[in-house]
């Protein structure tokens, strides 16, 4: 049996290889053109880094469905499942679908950073800090429509393109609804586990769900496969967000690229705080300040110690693990191949990653 | 011959009748649902009023194409041009297309008001003033994806739905590009007439162009008709914006629903200021303050008098008139019917309206 460390390294290597291809595709699909400042601002966060996890899920799902060796087929000329039938579309641009999803992700980060007034993202200034508020709003809006333009241009059958756009549009709507819940939760102290999980599904998981099912839609898979993959994405996406909430407390600020414990400072509701409150912890008093610049490492250490004592952090870890196992079980519908194996490992990685 | 006054009243009556139907459709297509505050904020500006000029152009173009009596056919079960052919789509929901365009317009207004930090819109507080910055950004983002969802649901043939979405997405991109130019123009004093017209085309006219050509796309008209209608919309949209710039100077604040002359105060470039600068006027010195709350009516009166002396306002009026005539000429491609007549009159109305 491979060691956990070696396994994680293998997954990261697989992620990196797809990331490099996605990074090469972004300037092709979203070139910097006049008005230059607008497109530079739109590309700023995309170019600042990111693991491209959602595009990796999308591209790997496509490979599993097509039953091809990972990285053996050009993503820009990817086979469909009906390619051999007369009059059908044989090749589509799967990379466009991957870039589109990443562009949506980037748009939401730019606008979220304005809403949360966060200064840093991926270790660089947020777009509204590097540029200004106006440019950041407009850069997000530009990415929004560009994501639709790029997804419209995969060359898939028109009825499948319509379905793909439907998924993309409803996904964006749900992300907005989730963000709205997330903001309103900051004012509330009666958020239940169900409330939290619904918010996380909308805010984060739907984009993973879209990433996993879009290849099936575009490649003309059946409804059962599309549904199963959507479910896989939803499960691992929720697990990803829960792990993100854990990492916000446990990873040093330098590695996070932002202040550790910022969720606590800003009164964000997470599965951890919801659990701790159920255990009788006065969560609002864990950190005195509401200003991330004023909090000390010692205060955060104390708060984390309390959340460990109540078992809230391990509760979150367990829930994330269960979700990942549920998600993996849904992949039974795919052919048994190397790409599917990678989708299992990606699911594990989302909750085992250190940052 | 009918008097100009009676003619304007007839156009307004036609606009009002369509506006009432659009207003009845908006809550159907965009119901207020949880998270309630988000949807209330999204609907706030839509419910505050508006003439629904773009939906009116869209619905009337559909009637002209279908060669039906105005207002005689249910917009939610509208005939296509290929309806009689076996296997084709016979009825589509044209109202959805109209609402989608209005929803895009509303999204851009919400975000523009944040960018320009305008307090008032349609006589009520801007969304970021009535709610807050976060909610306003998110309300705009929600309308954005909802517009795509609504346009995806007309029931048109998939290939035509793809074409419609393509128009919608590229239109949104151009609106962002236009807004970016508009903002950057405020810092410049070398904006040419061509620069201005390109900015106006992107910022304003493309949504009129989309409104005019979308019925042709959805109803399966030929490419020549689609192109001609796009051109009509582009021409009247540019004329509309030029007239808007004139009205900003000439209509009392109470009727405008915002401070008269605010474009001058905020150093917005308009065809009028570009022309005046070419005549040697120091446009930046026309109004001393950059604060709309500090400007006096007398200052604005003096500035307007100067712009009248240089012929800049009549220059703008003439350019708008020429564009409207160009646009009307493109409608030759439509059947000669009452709805086409109304499209002529709508074009005239856009530059003859008092506010």
């Amino acid at each position: 049996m491979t060691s956990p460390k070696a396994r994680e390294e293998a997954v990261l290597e697989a992620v990196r290889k797809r990331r490099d291809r996605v990074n090469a595709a972004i300037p092709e699909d979203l070139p910097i053109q006049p008005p230059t400042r607008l497109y530079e601002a739109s590309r700023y966060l995309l170019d600042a880094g990111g693991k491209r996890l959602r595009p990796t899920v999308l591209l790997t799902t496509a490979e599993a469905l097509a039953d091809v060796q990972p990285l053996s087929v050009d993503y820009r000329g990817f086979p469909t499942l009906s390619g051999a039938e007369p009059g059908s579309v044989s090749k589509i641009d799967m990379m466009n679908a991957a870039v589109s999803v990443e562009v949506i992700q980037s748009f939401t980060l730019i606008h979220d950073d304005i809403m949360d007034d966060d200064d840093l993202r991926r270790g660089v200034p947020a777009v509204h800090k590097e540029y200004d508020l106006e440019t950041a709003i407009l850069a997000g809006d530009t990415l929004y429509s560009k994501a639709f333009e790029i997804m419209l241009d995969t060359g898939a059958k028109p009825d499948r393109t319509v379905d793909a756009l439907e998924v993309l549009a409803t996904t964006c709507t749900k992300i907005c609804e989730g963000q709205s819940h997330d903001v309103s939760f900051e004012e509330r102290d009666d958020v239940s586990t169900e409330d939290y999980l619904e918010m996380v599904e909308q805010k984060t998981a739907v984009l993973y769900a879209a990433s996993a099912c879009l290849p099936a839609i575009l490649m003309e898979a059946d409804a059962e496969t599309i549904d199963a993959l959507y479910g896989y994405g939803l499960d691992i996406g929720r697990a990803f967000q829960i792990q993100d909430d854990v990492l916000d407390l446990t990873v040093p600020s330098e590695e996070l690229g932002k202040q550790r414990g910022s969720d606590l400072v800003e009164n964000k509701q997470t599965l951890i705080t919801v659990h701790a409150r159920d255990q009788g912890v006065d969560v609002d008093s864990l950190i005195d300040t509401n200003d991330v610049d004023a909090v000390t490492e010692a205060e955060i250490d104390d708060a984390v110690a309390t959340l460990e004592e109540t078992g809230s952090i391990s509760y979150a870890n367990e829930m994330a693990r269960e979700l990942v196992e549920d998600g993996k079980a849904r992949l039974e519908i795919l052919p048994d191949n190397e790409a599917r194996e990678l989708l299992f490992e990606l699911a594990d990685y989302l909750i085992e990653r250190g940052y």
Side-chain angles (χ1 to χ4, degrees), chain A:
Chain A
M1 197 171 167
T2 332
S3 75
K5 193 71 206 162
R7 227 185 51 205
E8 184 180 334
E9 194 40 54
V11 179
L12 279 177
E13 185 59 23
V15 171
R16 273 195 292 267
K17 281 184 175 155
R18 282 161 187 81
R19 180 201 65 194
D20 290 346
R21 298 205 186 182
V22 171
N23 286 352
I26 287 171
E28 294 168 2
D29 284 357
L30 193 69
I32 290 175
Q33 60 194 41
T36 313
R37 185 178 155 88
L38 175 63
Y39 281 97
E40 281 173 353
S42 303
R43 280 271 299 279
Y44 182 74
L45 200 55
L46 280 165
D47 292 350
K51 286 196 278 294
R52 317 296 186 210
L53 291 174
R54 296 158 194 81
T56 295
V57 167
L58 190 150
L59 295 171
T60 311
T61 307
E63 290 170 330
L65 274 167
D67 207 8
V68 297
Q69 194 66 16
L71 299 168
S72 67
V73 178
D74 180 8
Y75 292 124
R76 293 229 186 257
F78 206 80
T80 67
L81 299 177
S82 68
E85 292 164 27
S88 66
V89 169
S90 63
K91 300 271 183 194
I92 60 174
D93 187 338
M94 194 58 76
M95 183 54 87
N96 267 8
V99 170
S100 174
V101 162
E102 187 69 9
V103 167
I104 289 290
Q105 166 68 5
S106 193
F107 135 65
T108 65
L109 295 179
I110 294 174
H111 281 190
D112 280 4
D113 285 343
I114 301 172
M115 290 186 250
D116 297 340
D117 200 20
D118 282 336
D119 293 353
L120 285 178
R121 169 73 70 174
R122 292 179 177 158
V124 297
V127 176
H128 67 288
K129 296 290 176 187
E130 179 68 18
Y131 293 83
D132 51 57
L133 176 68
E134 295 76 12
T135 306
I137 292 176
L138 213 47
D141 291 346
T142 304
L143 291 175
Y144 210 150
S145 50
K146 278 288 171 188
F148 282 88
E149 285 187 51
I150 294 165
M151 187 67 82
L152 278 161
D153 200 25
T154 65
K157 273 179 73 178
D159 59 336
R160 293 301 178 127
T161 300
V162 168
D163 290 349
L165 270 282
E166 185 82 41
V167 166
L168 202 65
T170 55
T171 297
C172 292
T173 301
K174 283 180 191 149
I175 292 171
C176 292
E177 291 176 355
Q179 173 70 7
S180 175
H181 280 127
D182 197 16
V183 170
S184 68
F185 284 1
E186 291 172 32
E187 311 290 316
R188 286 173 50 187
D189 60 2
D190 62 345
V191 174
S192 68
T193 304
E194 289 69 36
D195 291 337
Y196 169 81
L197 287 175
E198 195 198 341
M199 181 273 283
V200 161
E201 176 175 323
Q202 294 173 325
K203 196 181 92 161
T204 305
V206 288
L207 196 54
Y208 276 96
S211 302
C213 81
L214 278 164
I217 291 171
L218 295 169
M219 290 166 68
E220 303 169 35
D222 57 36
E224 197 186 350
T225 304
I226 294 168
D227 287 351
L229 289 169
Y230 192 86
Y232 163 77
L234 220 46
D235 284 335
I236 67 167
R238 283 185 290 201
F240 170 86
Q241 183 61 55
I242 292 169
Q243 175 68 2
D244 231 40
D245 296 343
V246 170
L247 295 177
D248 183 75
L249 295 172
T250 55
V251 173
S253 303
E254 311 80 66
E255 284 179 54
L256 276 178
K258 59 173 187 173
Q259 174 61 51
R260 179 172 69 107
S262 59
D263 288 349
L264 275 184
V265 178
E266 291 164 356
N267 294 320
K268 291 258 178 217
Q269 301 292 331
T270 66
L271 194 59
I272 303 158
T273 61
V274 170
H275 180 271
R277 189 171 282 117
D278 285 349
Q279 306 299 307
V281 175
D282 182 0
V283 174
D284 297 333
S285 305
L286 282 175
I287 304 277
D288 285 336
T289 178
N290 286 318
D291 178 1
V292 283
D293 296 327
V295 73
T296 67
E297 288 295 316
E299 278 179 290
I300 292 169
D301 285 339
D302 286 350
V304 171
T306 304
L307 297 170
E308 272 169 354
E309 279 161 30
T310 54
S312 304
I313 292 180
S314 37
Y315 171 76
N317 282 329
E318 280 157 30
M319 171 97 60
R321 166 55 61 197
E322 275 173 36
L323 284 166
V324 159
E325 294 307 323
D326 289 350
K328 283 155 73 176
R330 296 181 200 271
L331 296 184
E332 297 291 323
I333 203 161
L334 291 177
D336 179 3
N337 56 33
E338 209 178 307
R340 186 178 77 161
E341 198 56 39
L342 184 52
L343 290 174
F344 289 139
E345 288 164 6
L346 272 167
D348 288 330
Y349 167 72
L350 291 184
I351 58 168
E352 288 167 8
R353 69 204 160 100
Y355 66 98

